[in-house]
Coordinates of all heavy atoms in Angstrom, one line a residue:
M1 N 0.8 -1.2 0.0 CA 0.0 0.0 0.0 C 1.0 1.3 0.0 O 2.1 1.2 0.5 CB -0.9 0.0 1.2 CG -2.0 -1.1 1.2 SD -3.4 -0.6 2.2 CE -2.6 -0.2 3.8
R2 N 0.3 2.3 -0.5 CA 1.0 3.7 -0.6 C 0.2 4.7 -0.1 O -1.0 4.8 -0.4 CB 1.4 3.9 -2.0 CG 2.3 2.9 -2.7 CD 3.7 3.1 -2.2 NE 4.3 4.4 -2.7 CZ 5.0 4.6 -3.8 NH1 5.2 3.7 -4.6 NH2 5.4 5.8 -4.1
R3 N 0.8 5.5 0.9 CA 0.0 6.7 1.4 C 0.0 7.8 0.4 O 1.0 8.2 -0.1 CB 0.7 7.1 2.7 CG -0.1 8.2 3.5 CD 0.6 8.5 4.8 NE 1.8 9.3 4.5 CZ 2.7 9.5 5.4 NH1 2.6 9.1 6.6 NH2 3.8 10.2 5.1
V4 N -1.3 8.3 0.2 CA -1.4 9.4 -0.7 C -1.9 10.7 -0.1 O -1.9 11.6 -0.8 CB -2.4 9.0 -1.9 CG1 -1.8 7.9 -2.7 CG2 -3.7 8.6 -1.4
F5 N -2.4 10.7 1.2 CA -3.0 11.8 1.7 C -3.0 11.7 3.2 O -3.3 10.6 3.7 CB -4.4 12.0 1.2 CG -5.1 13.3 1.6 CD1 -4.7 14.5 0.9 CD2 -6.1 13.3 2.4 CE1 -5.2 15.6 1.2 CE2 -6.8 14.5 2.7 CZ -6.4 15.7 2.2
I6 N -2.7 12.8 3.8 CA -3.0 12.9 5.3 C -4.0 14.0 5.6 O -3.9 15.1 5.1 CB -1.7 13.3 6.0 CG1 -0.6 12.3 5.8 CG2 -1.9 13.4 7.6 CD1 0.8 12.7 6.4
A7 N -5.2 13.5 6.2 CA -6.3 14.4 6.3 C -6.1 15.2 7.6 O -5.4 14.8 8.6 CB -7.6 13.5 6.5
S8 N -6.8 16.4 7.6 CA -6.7 17.2 8.8 C -7.8 16.7 9.8 O -7.8 17.3 10.9 CB -7.1 18.7 8.4 OG -8.3 18.8 7.9
G9 N -8.6 15.7 9.5 CA -9.5 15.3 10.5 C -10.3 14.1 10.0 O -10.2 13.7 8.7
I10 N -11.2 13.5 10.8 CA -11.9 12.3 10.2 C -12.9 12.7 9.1 O -13.1 12.0 8.2 CB -12.8 11.8 11.4 CG1 -11.9 11.4 12.6 CG2 -13.7 10.6 11.0 CD1 -10.9 10.3 12.2
S11 N -13.5 13.9 9.2 CA -14.5 14.2 8.1 C -13.8 14.4 6.8 O -14.3 14.0 5.7 CB -15.3 15.5 8.5 OG -14.4 16.6 8.7
E12 N -12.5 14.9 6.8 CA -11.9 15.1 5.6 C -11.4 13.7 5.0 O -11.4 13.5 3.8 CB -10.6 16.0 5.7 CG -10.0 16.3 4.4 CD -8.8 17.3 4.5 OE1 -8.1 17.3 5.4 OE2 -8.8 18.1 3.5
A13 N -10.9 12.8 6.0 CA -10.6 11.5 5.6 C -11.7 10.8 4.8 O -11.6 10.2 3.9 CB -10.1 10.7 6.8
Q14 N -13.0 11.0 5.4 CA -14.2 10.4 4.8 C -14.4 11.0 3.4 O -14.8 10.2 2.6 CB -15.4 10.5 5.8 CG -15.2 9.7 7.0 CD -16.3 10.0 8.0 OE1 -16.9 11.1 8.1 NE2 -16.6 9.1 8.9
L15 N -14.2 12.2 3.3 CA -14.4 13.0 2.0 C -13.6 12.3 1.0 O -14.0 12.0 -0.1 CB -14.2 14.4 2.1 CG -15.2 15.3 2.7 CD1 -14.7 16.8 2.9 CD2 -16.5 15.4 1.8
V16 N -12.3 12.2 1.3 CA -11.3 11.8 0.3 C -11.5 10.4 0.0 O -11.4 9.9 -1.2 CB -9.8 12.1 0.9 CG1 -8.8 11.5 -0.1 CG2 -9.6 13.6 1.0
R17 N -11.8 9.5 1.1 CA -12.0 8.1 0.7 C -13.2 8.0 -0.1 O -13.2 7.2 -1.1 CB -12.3 7.3 2.1 CG -12.6 5.9 1.8 CD -12.7 5.1 3.0 NE -13.8 5.6 4.0 CZ -14.0 5.2 5.1 NH1 -13.3 4.2 5.6 NH2 -15.0 5.6 5.8
Q18 N -14.4 8.7 0.2 CA -15.6 8.6 -0.7 C -15.2 9.1 -2.2 O -15.6 8.4 -3.1 CB -16.5 9.6 -0.2 CG -17.8 9.7 -1.0 CD -18.8 8.6 -0.9 OE1 -18.9 8.0 0.1 NE2 -19.4 8.2 -2.1
M19 N -14.4 10.1 -2.3 CA -14.0 10.5 -3.6 C -13.3 9.5 -4.5 O -13.6 9.1 -5.6 CB -13.2 11.8 -3.5 CG -12.6 12.3 -4.8 SD -11.5 13.8 -4.6 CE -10.1 13.0 -3.8
L20 N -12.3 8.9 -3.7 CA -11.5 7.9 -4.4 C -12.3 6.6 -4.7 O -12.1 6.0 -5.8 CB -10.3 7.6 -3.6 CG -9.2 8.8 -3.4 CD1 -8.1 8.3 -2.4 CD2 -8.6 9.2 -4.7
E21 N -13.1 6.2 -3.7 CA -13.8 5.0 -4.1 C -14.8 5.2 -5.1 O -15.0 4.2 -5.9 CB -14.5 4.5 -2.6 CG -13.4 3.9 -1.7 CD -14.1 3.4 -0.5 OE1 -15.2 3.8 -0.2 OE2 -13.4 2.7 0.3
T22 N -15.5 6.3 -5.1 CA -16.4 6.6 -6.3 C -15.7 6.6 -7.6 O -16.2 6.1 -8.6 CB -17.0 8.0 -6.1 OG1 -17.7 8.1 -4.8 CG2 -18.0 8.4 -7.2
A23 N -14.4 6.8 -7.6 CA -13.6 6.8 -8.8 C -13.1 5.4 -9.1 O -12.3 5.2 -10.0 CB -12.5 7.8 -8.8
G24 N -13.3 4.4 -8.2 CA -12.9 3.1 -8.4 C -11.5 2.8 -7.8 O -11.0 1.7 -8.2
V25 N -11.0 3.6 -7.0 CA -9.8 3.4 -6.4 C -9.9 2.8 -5.0 O -10.7 3.3 -4.2 CB -8.9 4.7 -6.2 CG1 -7.7 4.5 -5.5 CG2 -8.8 5.4 -7.5
S26 N -9.3 1.6 -4.7 CA -9.4 1.0 -3.5 C -8.5 1.6 -2.5 O -7.3 1.6 -2.7 CB -9.1 -0.6 -3.7 OG -9.9 -1.2 -4.6
V27 N -9.1 2.0 -1.3 CA -8.3 2.8 -0.3 C -8.5 2.2 1.0 O -9.5 1.5 1.2 CB -8.5 4.3 -0.4 CG1 -8.2 4.9 -1.7 CG2 -10.0 4.6 0.1
Q28 N -7.6 2.5 1.9 CA -7.9 2.1 3.3 C -7.5 3.5 4.0 O -6.7 4.2 3.7 CB -6.9 1.1 3.8 CG -7.4 -0.4 3.3 CD -6.7 -1.4 4.1 OE1 -6.2 -1.3 5.1 NE2 -6.8 -2.6 3.5
V29 N -8.3 3.7 5.2 CA -8.0 4.8 6.0 C -7.4 4.3 7.3 O -7.9 3.4 8.0 CB -9.4 5.6 6.3 CG1 -9.0 6.7 7.2 CG2 -10.0 6.0 5.1
L30 N -6.2 4.8 7.6 CA -5.5 4.5 8.8 C -5.8 5.5 9.8 O -5.9 6.7 9.5 CB -4.0 4.2 8.5 CG -3.7 3.1 7.5 CD1 -2.2 2.9 7.6 CD2 -4.4 1.9 7.8
N31 N -5.7 5.2 11.1 CA -5.9 6.2 12.2 C -7.3 6.8 12.1 O -7.5 7.9 12.7 CB -4.9 7.2 12.2 CG -3.4 6.7 12.3 OD1 -3.2 5.7 13.1 ND2 -2.5 7.4 11.7
E32 N -8.2 6.1 11.6 CA -9.5 6.7 11.3 C -10.2 7.0 12.8 O -11.0 7.9 12.9 CB -10.5 5.7 10.6 CG -11.8 6.3 10.3 CD -12.5 5.5 9.2 OE1 -12.2 4.3 9.0 OE2 -13.6 5.9 8.6
H33 N -10.0 6.2 13.7 CA -10.6 6.4 15.1 C -9.6 6.8 16.1 O -9.8 6.7 17.3 CB -11.1 5.0 15.5 CG -12.1 4.4 14.4 ND1 -13.3 4.9 14.0 CD2 -12.0 3.3 13.6 CE1 -13.9 4.2 13.2 NE2 -13.0 3.3 12.8
A34 N -8.4 7.3 15.6 CA -7.4 7.7 16.6 C -7.5 9.0 17.3 O -7.1 9.1 18.4 CB -6.0 7.7 15.9
S35 N -8.2 10.0 16.6 CA -8.2 11.3 17.2 C -9.3 11.4 18.2 O -10.2 10.7 18.2 CB -8.2 12.4 16.1 OG -9.5 12.2 15.4
G36 N -9.2 12.5 19.0 CA -10.1 12.8 20.0 C -11.4 13.5 19.6 O -11.7 13.5 18.5
G37 N -12.1 14.3 20.4 CA -13.3 14.8 20.1 C -13.1 16.1 19.3 O -12.0 16.5 19.2
L38 N -14.2 16.8 19.0 CA -14.1 18.0 18.2 C -13.4 19.0 19.0 O -13.5 19.2 20.3 CB -15.5 18.6 18.0 CG -16.3 17.7 16.9 CD1 -17.8 18.3 16.8 CD2 -15.6 17.8 15.6
G39 N -12.5 19.8 18.3 CA -11.8 20.9 19.0 C -10.5 20.4 19.5 O -9.6 21.3 19.8
E40 N -10.2 19.2 19.5 CA -8.9 18.7 20.1 C -8.0 18.7 18.8 O -8.4 18.2 17.7 CB -9.0 17.3 20.7 CG -9.8 17.4 21.9 CD -9.7 15.9 22.6 OE1 -8.8 15.2 22.4 OE2 -10.7 15.6 23.3
L41 N -6.7 18.9 19.0 CA -5.7 18.7 17.9 C -5.0 17.4 18.3 O -4.2 17.4 19.2 CB -4.8 19.9 17.9 CG -5.2 21.2 17.5 CD1 -4.3 22.3 17.6 CD2 -5.8 21.1 16.0
P42 N -5.2 16.5 17.5 CA -4.5 15.1 17.6 C -3.0 15.3 17.3 O -2.6 16.2 16.4 CB -5.2 14.2 16.7 CG -5.7 15.1 15.6 CD -6.1 16.4 16.3
A43 N -2.2 14.5 17.7 CA -0.8 14.4 17.4 C -0.7 14.1 15.9 O -1.6 13.4 15.4 CB -0.1 13.4 18.2
T44 N 0.3 14.6 15.3 CA 0.4 14.4 13.9 C 0.4 13.0 13.5 O -0.3 12.5 12.5 CB 1.9 15.0 13.4 OG1 1.9 16.4 13.8 CG2 2.0 14.9 11.9
E45 N 1.0 12.1 14.3 CA 1.0 10.7 13.8 C -0.4 10.0 14.0 O -0.6 8.9 13.5 CB 2.0 9.9 14.7 CG 1.8 9.9 16.2 CD 2.5 11.0 16.8 OE1 2.8 12.1 16.2 OE2 2.9 10.9 18.0
A46 N -1.3 10.7 14.7 CA -2.7 10.2 14.8 C -3.7 10.7 13.8 O -4.8 10.4 13.8 CB -3.2 10.4 16.2
W47 N -3.2 11.6 12.8 CA -4.0 12.1 11.8 C -4.5 11.0 10.8 O -3.6 10.1 10.6 CB -3.4 13.2 11.0 CG -3.3 14.5 11.8 CD1 -3.7 14.7 13.1 CD2 -2.7 15.7 11.4 NE1 -3.5 16.0 13.4 CE2 -2.9 16.6 12.5 CE3 -2.1 16.1 10.3 CZ2 -2.4 18.0 12.4 CZ3 -1.6 17.4 10.2 CH2 -1.8 18.4 11.2
P48 N -5.7 11.0 10.4 CA -6.1 9.9 9.5 C -5.3 10.0 8.2 O -5.0 11.1 7.7 CB -7.6 10.3 9.2 CG -8.0 11.2 10.3 CD -6.8 12.0 10.7
E49 N -4.9 8.8 7.7 CA -4.1 8.7 6.5 C -4.9 7.8 5.5 O -5.5 6.9 5.8 CB -2.9 8.0 6.8 CG -1.9 8.8 7.8 CD -0.6 8.0 8.1 OE1 -0.5 6.9 7.7 OE2 0.2 8.7 8.7
I50 N -4.8 8.3 4.3 CA -5.4 7.6 3.2 C -4.4 6.8 2.5 O -3.4 7.3 1.9 CB -6.2 8.5 2.1 CG1 -7.1 9.4 2.8 CG2 -6.8 7.7 1.0 CD1 -8.3 8.9 3.3
W51 N -4.5 5.5 2.4 CA -3.6 4.6 1.7 C -4.3 3.9 0.4 O -5.4 3.5 0.6 CB -3.1 3.5 2.6 CG -2.1 4.0 3.7 CD1 -2.5 4.9 4.7 CD2 -0.8 3.8 3.8 NE1 -1.4 5.2 5.5 CE2 -0.3 4.5 5.0 CE3 0.2 3.0 3.1 CZ2 1.0 4.4 5.4 CZ3 1.5 3.0 3.5 CH2 1.9 3.7 4.7
V52 N -3.5 3.9 -0.7 CA -4.1 3.3 -1.9 C -3.5 1.8 -1.8 O -2.5 1.5 -1.6 CB -3.6 3.9 -3.1 CG1 -3.9 3.1 -4.4 CG2 -4.2 5.4 -3.3
E53 N -4.5 0.9 -2.0 CA -4.2 -0.5 -1.9 C -3.4 -1.1 -3.1 O -2.5 -1.9 -2.9 CB -5.5 -1.3 -1.8 CG -6.2 -1.1 -0.4 CD -7.5 -1.9 -0.3 OE1 -7.8 -2.7 -1.2 OE2 -8.1 -1.8 0.7
R54 N -3.7 -0.5 -4.3 CA -3.1 -1.1 -5.5 C -2.2 -0.1 -6.1 O -2.6 1.0 -6.4 CB -4.2 -1.5 -6.4 CG -5.2 -2.5 -5.9 CD -6.1 -3.2 -7.0 NE -6.9 -4.2 -6.3 CZ -8.1 -4.1 -5.9 NH1 -8.6 -2.9 -5.9 NH2 -8.7 -5.1 -5.4
E55 N -1.0 -0.5 -6.3 CA 0.1 0.4 -6.8 C -0.3 1.0 -8.2 O 0.0 2.2 -8.4 CB 1.3 -0.5 -7.1 CG 2.5 0.4 -7.3 CD 3.3 1.0 -6.1 OE1 2.8 0.5 -4.9 OE2 4.0 1.9 -6.2
H56 N -1.1 0.3 -9.0 CA -1.3 0.8 -10.3 C -2.4 1.9 -10.3 O -2.6 2.6 -11.3 CB -1.7 -0.3 -11.3 CG -3.1 -0.9 -11.1 ND1 -3.3 -1.9 -10.1 CD2 -4.4 -0.5 -11.5 CE1 -4.5 -2.2 -10.2 NE2 -5.2 -1.3 -10.9
Q57 N -3.1 2.0 -9.1 CA -4.1 3.1 -8.9 C -3.5 4.4 -8.3 O -4.1 5.4 -8.1 CB -5.2 2.6 -8.2 CG -6.1 1.5 -8.9 CD -7.2 1.0 -8.1 OE1 -7.2 1.0 -6.9 NE2 -8.3 0.6 -8.8
L58 N -2.2 4.3 -8.0 CA -1.6 5.4 -7.2 C -1.6 6.7 -8.0 O -2.1 7.7 -7.5 CB -0.1 5.0 -6.9 CG 0.6 6.0 -6.1 CD1 0.0 6.2 -4.7 CD2 2.1 5.6 -5.9
A59 N -1.2 6.7 -9.3 CA -1.2 7.9 -10.0 C -2.6 8.5 -10.2 O -2.8 9.7 -10.1 CB -0.6 7.7 -11.4
H60 N -3.6 7.7 -10.4 CA -5.0 8.1 -10.5 C -5.5 8.7 -9.3 O -6.0 9.8 -9.2 CB -5.9 6.9 -10.8 CG -7.3 7.3 -11.1 ND1 -8.4 6.4 -11.1 CD2 -7.9 8.4 -11.4 CE1 -9.4 6.9 -11.4 NE2 -9.2 8.3 -11.6
A61 N -5.1 8.1 -8.1 CA -5.5 8.6 -6.8 C -4.8 10.0 -6.5 O -5.4 11.1 -6.0 CB -5.1 7.7 -5.7
Q62 N -3.4 10.2 -6.9 CA -2.8 11.4 -6.7 C -3.3 12.5 -7.5 O -3.5 13.6 -7.1 CB -1.3 11.1 -7.0 CG -0.6 10.4 -6.0 CD 0.8 9.9 -6.3 OE1 1.1 9.8 -7.5 NE2 1.7 9.7 -5.3
S63 N -3.9 12.2 -8.8 CA -4.4 13.2 -9.6 C -5.8 13.6 -9.0 O -6.1 14.8 -9.0 CB -4.5 12.8 -11.0 OG -5.8 12.7 -11.5
L64 N -6.5 12.7 -8.5 CA -7.8 13.1 -7.9 C -7.6 13.9 -6.7 O -8.4 14.9 -6.5 CB -8.6 11.8 -7.5 CG -9.1 10.9 -8.6 CD1 -9.6 9.6 -8.1 CD2 -10.3 11.7 -9.3
I65 N -6.5 13.6 -5.9 CA -6.3 14.4 -4.6 C -5.9 15.8 -5.1 O -6.2 16.8 -4.5 CB -5.3 13.6 -3.8 CG1 -6.1 12.6 -3.0 CG2 -4.8 14.6 -2.7 CD1 -5.2 11.6 -2.3
R66 N -5.0 16.0 -6.1 CA -4.7 17.2 -6.5 C -5.9 18.1 -6.9 O -6.0 19.3 -6.6 CB -3.7 17.2 -7.7 CG -2.3 17.2 -7.3 CD -1.4 17.4 -8.5 NE -1.6 16.6 -9.6 CZ -1.0 15.4 -9.8 NH1 -0.1 14.9 -8.8 NH2 -1.3 14.6 -10.9
D67 N -6.9 17.4 -7.7 CA -8.1 18.1 -8.0 C -8.9 18.5 -6.8 O -9.4 19.6 -6.6 CB -9.0 17.2 -8.8 CG -8.4 17.1 -10.3 OD1 -7.4 17.8 -10.6 OD2 -8.9 16.1 -11.0
Y68 N -8.9 17.6 -5.8 CA -9.6 17.9 -4.6 C -9.0 19.1 -3.8 O -9.7 19.9 -3.4 CB -9.5 16.7 -3.6 CG -9.9 16.9 -2.2 CD1 -11.2 17.1 -1.8 CD2 -8.9 17.1 -1.2 CE1 -11.5 17.4 -0.4 CE2 -9.1 17.3 0.1 CZ -10.5 17.5 0.4 OH -10.7 17.8 1.8
E69 N -7.7 19.0 -3.8 CA -7.1 20.2 -3.0 C -7.2 21.5 -3.6 O -7.4 22.5 -3.0 CB -5.5 19.9 -2.8 CG -5.4 18.7 -1.8 CD -3.9 18.4 -1.6 OE1 -3.1 18.5 -2.5 OE2 -3.6 17.9 -0.4
S70 N -7.3 21.5 -5.0 CA -7.4 22.8 -5.7 C -8.9 23.2 -5.6 O -9.2 24.4 -5.8 CB -7.0 22.7 -7.2 OG -7.7 21.8 -7.8
A71 N -9.8 22.3 -5.5 CA -11.2 22.7 -5.4 C -11.8 22.8 -4.0 O -13.0 22.8 -3.8 CB -11.9 21.7 -6.2
S72 N -10.9 22.6 -3.0 CA -11.3 22.3 -1.6 C -12.1 23.6 -1.0 O -12.7 23.5 0.0 CB -10.2 21.9 -0.8 OG -9.3 22.8 -0.6
D73 N -11.8 24.8 -1.7 CA -12.5 25.9 -1.1 C -13.8 26.2 -1.9 O -14.5 27.1 -1.5 CB -11.5 27.2 -1.3 CG -11.2 27.4 -2.8 OD1 -11.3 26.4 -3.5 OD2 -10.8 28.6 -3.0
Q74 N -14.2 25.2 -2.8 CA -15.5 25.4 -3.4 C -16.4 24.2 -3.0 O -16.0 23.0 -3.1 CB -15.3 25.3 -4.8 CG -14.4 26.4 -5.5 CD -14.1 26.1 -6.9 OE1 -15.1 26.0 -7.8 NE2 -12.9 26.2 -7.3
T75 N -17.5 24.5 -2.5 CA -18.4 23.3 -1.9 C -19.7 23.6 -2.4 O -20.2 24.6 -2.9 CB -18.4 23.3 -0.4 OG1 -18.9 24.6 0.1 CG2 -17.0 23.1 0.3
V76 N -20.5 22.5 -2.5 CA -21.8 22.5 -2.8 C -22.7 21.9 -1.6 O -22.2 20.8 -1.2 CB -22.1 21.8 -4.1 CG1 -21.7 20.4 -4.2 CG2 -23.7 21.9 -4.4
D77 N -23.7 22.4 -1.2 CA -24.4 21.8 -0.1 C -25.4 20.8 -0.6 O -26.0 20.9 -1.6 CB -25.2 22.9 0.6 CG -24.4 23.9 1.5 OD1 -23.2 23.5 1.6 OD2 -24.8 24.9 1.8
C78 N -25.4 19.6 0.1 CA -26.3 18.5 -0.3 C -27.7 19.0 -0.1 O -28.0 19.6 1.0 CB -25.9 17.4 0.6 SG -27.2 16.0 0.3
G79 N -28.6 18.7 -1.1 CA -30.0 19.1 -1.1 C -30.8 18.3 -0.1 O -31.9 18.7 0.3
T80 N -30.2 17.1 0.3 CA -30.9 16.2 1.2 C -30.5 16.4 2.7 O -31.4 16.5 3.5 CB -30.6 14.7 0.8 OG1 -30.9 14.6 -0.6 CG2 -31.4 13.7 1.6
C81 N -29.2 16.4 2.9 CA -28.8 16.5 4.4 C -28.1 17.9 4.6 O -27.7 18.1 5.9 CB -28.0 15.4 4.8 SG -26.3 15.4 4.0
S82 N -27.8 18.7 3.7 CA -27.2 20.0 3.9 C -25.7 20.0 4.2 O -25.2 21.0 4.5 CB -28.0 20.9 5.0 OG -29.3 21.0 4.5
E83 N -25.1 18.8 4.1 CA -23.7 18.8 4.4 C -22.9 19.4 3.2 O -23.4 19.1 2.0 CB -23.2 17.3 4.5 CG -23.5 16.7 5.9 CD -22.6 17.3 7.0 OE1 -21.5 17.8 6.6 OE2 -23.1 17.5 8.1
P84 N -21.9 20.2 3.4 CA -21.1 20.7 2.3 C -20.3 19.6 1.7 O -19.6 18.7 2.4 CB -20.2 21.8 2.9 CG -20.2 21.6 4.4 CD -21.6 20.7 4.7
N85 N -20.2 19.5 0.4 CA -19.4 18.6 -0.3 C -18.5 19.4 -1.4 O -18.9 20.4 -1.9 CB -20.3 17.7 -1.2 CG -21.0 16.6 -0.3 OD1 -20.6 15.5 -0.3 ND2 -22.1 17.0 0.3
P86 N -17.4 18.9 -1.6 CA -16.5 19.5 -2.7 C -17.2 19.4 -4.0 O -18.1 18.4 -4.3 CB -15.3 18.5 -2.7 CG -15.2 17.9 -1.4 CD -16.7 17.7 -1.0
V87 N -17.1 20.4 -4.8 CA -17.8 20.6 -6.0 C -17.5 19.4 -7.0 O -18.3 19.1 -7.9 CB -17.6 21.9 -6.8 CG1 -18.1 23.0 -6.0 CG2 -16.1 22.1 -7.0
T88 N -16.4 18.7 -6.8 CA -16.1 17.5 -7.6 C -16.9 16.3 -7.3 O -16.7 15.4 -8.1 CB -14.5 17.3 -7.5 OG1 -14.2 17.2 -6.2 CG2 -13.7 18.4 -8.1
F89 N -17.5 16.3 -6.2 CA -18.3 15.1 -5.8 C -19.6 14.9 -6.7 O -20.2 16.0 -7.0 CB -18.7 15.1 -4.4 CG -17.5 14.7 -3.5 CD1 -16.2 14.9 -3.9 CD2 -17.8 14.2 -2.2 CE1 -15.1 14.5 -3.1 CE2 -16.7 13.9 -1.4 CZ -15.3 14.0 -1.8
E90 N -20.0 13.7 -7.0 CA -21.3 13.5 -7.7 C -22.3 13.0 -6.7 O -23.5 13.1 -7.0 CB -21.0 12.5 -8.8 CG -20.1 13.1 -9.9 CD -19.9 12.1 -11.1 OE1 -20.5 11.0 -10.9 OE2 -19.3 12.5 -12.0
I91 N -21.8 12.4 -5.5 CA -22.8 12.0 -4.6 C -22.4 12.5 -3.3 O -21.1 12.7 -3.0 CB -23.1 10.5 -4.5 CG1 -21.8 9.8 -4.1 CG2 -23.6 10.0 -5.8 CD1 -21.9 8.2 -3.9
C92 N -23.3 12.7 -2.3 CA -23.0 13.2 -1.0 C -22.1 12.2 -0.2 O -22.5 11.1 -0.1 CB -24.3 13.6 -0.3 SG -24.1 14.1 1.4
W93 N -21.1 12.6 0.4 CA -20.2 11.8 1.2 C -21.0 11.3 2.4 O -20.7 10.3 3.0 CB -19.0 12.5 1.6 CG -19.1 13.6 2.5 CD1 -19.2 14.9 2.2 CD2 -19.1 13.5 4.0 NE1 -19.4 15.7 3.3 CE2 -19.3 14.8 4.4 CE3 -19.0 12.5 4.9 CZ2 -19.4 15.1 5.8 CZ3 -19.1 12.8 6.2 CH2 -19.3 14.1 6.7
H94 N -21.9 12.1 2.8 CA -22.6 11.9 4.1 C -23.8 11.0 4.0 O -23.9 10.0 4.7 CB -23.0 13.3 4.7 CG -23.7 13.2 6.1 ND1 -25.0 13.3 6.3 CD2 -23.0 12.8 7.3 CE1 -25.2 13.2 7.6 NE2 -24.0 12.9 8.2
C95 N -24.7 11.3 3.0 CA -26.0 10.5 2.9 C -26.0 9.8 1.6 O -27.0 9.0 1.4 CB -27.1 11.4 3.1 SG -27.5 12.5 1.7
R96 N -25.0 10.0 0.7 CA -24.9 9.2 -0.5 C -25.9 9.5 -1.5 O -26.3 8.8 -2.4 CB -24.7 7.8 -0.2 CG -23.4 7.4 0.6 CD -23.2 6.0 0.8 NE -21.9 5.8 1.4 CZ -20.9 5.2 0.9 NH1 -21.0 4.8 -0.4 NH2 -19.7 5.1 1.5
E97 N -26.7 10.6 -1.3 CA -27.7 11.0 -2.4 C -26.9 11.7 -3.4 O -25.9 12.4 -3.2 CB -28.7 11.9 -1.7 CG -29.7 11.3 -0.8 CD -30.6 10.3 -1.5 OE1 -31.0 10.5 -2.6 OE2 -30.8 9.2 -0.9
P98 N -27.5 11.7 -4.7 CA -26.9 12.5 -5.7 C -26.8 14.0 -5.4 O -27.8 14.5 -4.9 CB -27.7 12.2 -7.0 CG -28.4 11.0 -6.6 CD -28.6 10.9 -5.1
L99 N -25.8 14.7 -5.8 CA -25.6 16.1 -5.6 C -26.1 16.9 -6.9 O -25.8 16.4 -8.0 CB -24.2 16.5 -5.3 CG -23.7 16.0 -3.9 CD1 -22.2 16.3 -3.9 CD2 -24.5 16.7 -2.8
L100 N -26.8 17.9 -6.7 CA -27.1 18.8 -7.8 C -26.1 19.8 -7.9 O -25.9 20.6 -7.0 CB -28.5 19.4 -7.6 CG -29.7 18.4 -7.4 CD1 -30.9 19.1 -7.1 CD2 -29.9 17.6 -8.8
Q101 N -25.3 19.7 -9.0 CA -24.3 20.7 -9.2 C -24.8 22.0 -9.7 O -25.7 22.1 -10.5 CB -23.2 20.2 -10.3 CG -22.6 18.9 -9.9 CD -21.7 19.1 -8.6 OE1 -21.2 20.1 -8.4 NE2 -21.3 17.9 -8.1
P102 N -24.3 23.1 -9.1 CA -24.7 24.5 -9.6 C -24.3 24.7 -11.1 O -23.2 24.2 -11.5 CB -24.0 25.5 -8.7 CG -22.9 24.7 -8.1 CD -23.2 23.2 -8.1
G103 N -25.1 25.3 -11.8 CA -24.9 25.4 -13.3 C -25.2 24.2 -14.0 O -24.5 23.8 -15.0
Ligands
ZN1 ZN1 -26.3 14.5 2.0

């Protein structure tokens, strides 16, 4: 396995995992349950990490993450549960309903 991303928190780890799995990339999240409650700053080594299981999917995953990071300040709110999602997502990471993209 290869690490492709270190998330700033559990919710970001879930976002990135959802994005990659939607694109067909097999990933595992390490340290998913390691950090404490909201408002706590976990130690760096406890931050959630995204690992790609298959070497041949690594480049694809890295390109998706680059897109994610460049679009991370643009979000669309889910029409079903109101959670903000990156504009690159096609389904809500939270409730898995299809997102209606603006425009
Ligand atoms: Zn939703």
Side-chain angles (χ1 to χ4, degrees):
M1 294 206 302
R2 296 285 296 271
R3 189 176 68 194
V4 292
F5 188 70
I6 300 176
S8 61
I10 299 300
S11 59
E12 185 174 39
Q14 289 173 334
L15 280 173
V16 173
R17 177 173 61 184
Q18 174 76 39
M19 173 183 71
L20 294 175
E21 288 183 342
T22 300
V25 178
S26 298
V27 300
Q28 288 194 12
V29 180
L30 302 187
N31 297 329
E32 188 172 12
H33 306 291
S35 65
L38 290 174
E40 292 183 33
L41 287 176
T44 303
E45 59 267 28
W47 287 359
E49 298 177 351
I50 308 289
W51 290 67
V52 171
E53 294 180 359
R54 300 191 175 92
E55 190 82 17
H56 72 273
Q57 293 183 326
L58 183 63
H60 188 194
Q62 287 170 333
S63 121
L64 288 165
I65 284 170
R66 272 197 302 276
D67 289 348
Y68 163 77
E69 288 179 326
S70 64
S72 60
D73 56 341
Q74 303 171 51
T75 61
V76 56
D77 291 343
C78 175
T80 304
C81 71
S82 299
E83 280 293 326
N85 285 262
V87 293
T88 51
F89 281 24
E90 294 180 357
I91 62 172
C92 176
W93 68 268
H94 185 252
C95 70
R96 297 181 176 250
E97 289 293 320
L99 292 170
L100 297 175
Q101 300 293 340

